[in-house]
Amino acid sequence: MALQLLLHVAFLRLSATAGPSVQARDFRTPAVAWPSYFDFNWPQEVQETIQIPNNGSAPLLVDVRVFVSNVFNVDILRYTVSSMLLLRLSWLDTRLAWNASVRPRRAVTLPWDSLWTPGLTIQEALWVDWQDQSPRARVDPDGHVDLYLTLTTETNCDFELLHFPRDQSDCNLSFYALGNTALELEFRAHAVNEIVSVKREYVVRDLKTQVPPQQLVPCFQVTLRLQNTALKAIIALLVPGEALLLADMCGGLLPLQATERIAYKVTLLLGYLVFHSSLVQALPSSSSCNPLLIYYFTVLLLLLFASTMETVLLAALLARGDLRAKSGPSPTPRAEQHGHGDSEPNPEGAPRVKGSRRSQAEAADHVFFLVYVVGVVCSQFFFIGLWMWATCKSDPAPGKAVPHGGQPRL
């Protein structure tokens, strides 16, 4: 690092003897010269201007305006969100001021790496794409500097999905200036919502900024409040689930002895199992505060399973009773063994037993159907109330308990 600095100063001295010039460079190459009208002592002054301006005992105040132009690719399964931002950074650097009466210029534009600029890092970012690799800063005669940065980024977001698909979450973008301390630099941030498209599954309902207190590193935070429009999830999840449950209740109206009833119930159960397996993949999971829909559709699966098992068991008991009645001994030979003087046999005895078993099975099926309908209706009202009034607070992240720069807990 020291060798690079020495080579850099030597190169500046050589360029100063041949006359100052502004050379082309890429995103990471430092500047080699200032415009000639500044008339600086090259090696010393250039090194000073790329250091943070001295504001006395107070930290340098940088005004930040965040223009949010788009929010897209909200992925609740990966807990990520993509956004497009424009940052306007403004601060005062008196070292860059000049006498406007001698040099009548309203403003000059300088490459960003030829003067001090706050280096920003987004804490939640998975990747950041800076649109302009060589931005230029605008400097006024009094030393006010304006720097515009445009970026596209994908960040992590802790979605609150308890009430999915009517969920609402706050996604944070925390900008840190890791090259400075809070005693040297202070941010004053404002946010402007410039999103013009509302054709999104998630829409931005609110936008705000804040400067977290008691930070060793200067930072500011942009908070996006995202709300789910819920139309896609209602059509794809709730409507099929309610339709299968209604179809299952209608299947209870079929006669118990009808063979089509078992086939109907089993087909519904198998169809719901396929729907439930795809549902599990579509719904997000979390270590805490999982969506209520996961428990709702699990209860629906248990209801369909109980209805199918009731039909199978009662149909099996009814069929077993019919089989015993057909295979049992006829009452006529038994009467002949006791003699002709005994009471006449009751040839209708077996059908009476068969009819009584059938009536008991049908009565049990009727009672179960009524209980099942009441249970389904009550479960719907229960989940509606739970949906409206239930709250859940997610577990704090491990890093939230320790302030930035604190000692980690073992």
Side-chain angles (χ1 to χ4, degrees):
M1 196 61 159
L3 179 61
Q4 293 180 356
L5 183 58
L6 291 176
L7 292 175
H8 177 65
V9 174
F11 184 75
L12 288 175
R13 288 175 178 173
L14 290 175
S15 62
T17 59
S21 63
V22 179
Q23 300 183 2
R25 59 202 166 274
D26 60 12
F27 184 70
R28 297 182 181 274
T29 305
V32 298
W34 280 90
S36 59
Y37 53 84
F38 278 99
D39 194 22
F40 285 148
N41 183 14
W42 293 102
Q44 180 180 359
E45 295 297 333
V46 171
Q47 291 299 321
E48 289 182 358
T49 53
I50 61 176
Q51 301 298 321
I52 185 171
N54 186 6
N55 198 28
S57 60
L60 176 66
L61 182 61
V62 176
D63 185 79
V64 183
R65 288 191 176 272
V66 183
F67 301 87
V68 182
S69 59
N70 197 4
V71 175
F72 59 100
N73 288 345
V74 179
D75 193 342
I76 59 176
L77 297 180
R78 296 176 55 235
Y79 286 86
T80 59
V81 58
S82 300
S83 54
M84 298 179 65
L85 308 174
L86 170 63
L87 304 181
R88 178 189 174 185
L89 308 176
S90 302
W91 65 94
L92 178 62
D93 191 348
T94 56
R95 300 170 301 180
L96 304 179
W98 71 90
N99 191 347
S101 61
V102 178
R103 303 261 190 322
R105 287 177 177 266
R106 291 185 177 180
V108 295
T109 57
L110 300 176
W112 72 276
D113 51 0
S114 62
L115 70 162
W116 176 87
T117 56
L120 298 178
T121 301
I122 304 178
Q123 183 182 23
E124 298 85 0
L126 300 178
W127 54 262
V128 180
D129 181 18
W130 300 95
Q131 302 297 324
D132 190 358
Q133 298 296 318
S134 299
R136 302 182 70 85
R138 184 179 185 273
V139 183
D140 293 337
D142 56 357
H144 281 94
V145 183
D146 289 331
L147 178 65
Y148 290 87
L149 302 174
T150 57
L151 64 133
T152 303
T153 180
E154 184 181 40
T155 55
N156 287 320
C157 180
D158 293 332
F159 294 106
E160 296 293 340
L161 300 173
L162 179 69
H163 297 94
F164 177 84
R166 293 296 299 175
D167 54 289
Q168 183 172 281
S169 304
D170 291 338
C171 299
N172 297 323
L173 286 81
S174 303
F175 292 82
Y176 285 87
L178 300 179
N180 303 102
T181 65
L183 299 178
E184 299 174 334
L185 180 62
E186 180 182 348
F187 288 112
R188 182 176 60 191
H190 309 276
V192 180
N193 190 346
E194 290 192 340
I195 300 176
V196 296
S197 177
V198 294
K199 295 183 178 181
R200 296 284 189 272
E201 183 179 359
Y202 279 84
V203 295
V204 179
R205 294 301 184 189
D206 191 17
L207 180 63
K208 61 182 179 180
T209 59
Q210 63 175 345
V211 177
Q214 298 180 355
Q215 296 288 331
L216 298 180
V217 177
C219 68
F220 65 93
Q221 193 174 74
V222 181
T223 302
L224 305 172
R225 176 159 294 180
L226 304 179
Q227 185 175 3
N228 195 347
T229 56
L231 180 60
K232 178 181 177 181
I234 290 175
I235 296 176
L237 301 177
L238 290 178
V239 172
E242 294 294 331
L244 283 173
L245 188 61
L246 181 60
D248 183 70
M249 288 192 297
C250 293
L253 300 176
L254 294 175
L256 184 61
Q257 61 272 16
T259 56
E260 295 82 2
R261 177 171 172 176
I262 296 181
Y264 180 82
K265 292 277 190 176
V266 172
T267 302
L268 282 180
L269 182 60
L270 293 178
Y272 188 80
L273 286 174
V274 175
F275 171 74
H276 192 271
S277 62
S278 62
L279 175 70
V280 171
Q281 299 177 1
L283 288 178
S285 59
S286 173
S287 58
S288 60
C289 298
N290 283 290
L292 290 174
L293 278 186
I294 294 179
Y295 306 101
Y296 175 73
F297 285 112
T298 302
V299 171
L300 291 189
L301 176 61
L302 296 177
L303 289 174
L304 289 175
F305 177 77
S307 176
T308 304
M309 292 303 298
E310 180 268 342
T311 299
V312 172
L313 291 177
L314 290 183
L317 291 176
L318 188 60
R320 187 180 297 273
D322 293 343
L323 183 61
R324 287 180 179 178
K326 292 180 180 180
S327 61
S330 176
T332 304
R334 187 179 301 173
E336 290 178 354
Q337 293 178 2
H338 291 284
H340 297 283
D342 296 335
S343 61
E344 294 183 1
N346 183 15
E348 298 180 358
R352 287 178 182 175
V353 175
K354 178 180 178 181
S356 62
R357 290 178 178 176
R358 185 182 299 275
S359 62
Q360 292 176 0
E362 292 177 350
D365 180 64
H366 180 70
V367 171
F368 178 83
F369 175 76
L370 295 179
V371 173
Y372 181 72
V373 171
V374 172
V376 168
V377 173
C378 292
S379 65
Q380 302 300 305
F381 282 104
F382 174 77
F383 272 100
I384 290 175
L386 192 64
W387 187 285
M388 295 178 61
W389 291 293
T391 58
C392 180
K393 186 177 181 180
S394 300
D395 297 333
K400 293 294 184 180
V402 180
H404 188 77
Q407 294 294 328
R409 296 179 180 178
L410 301 179

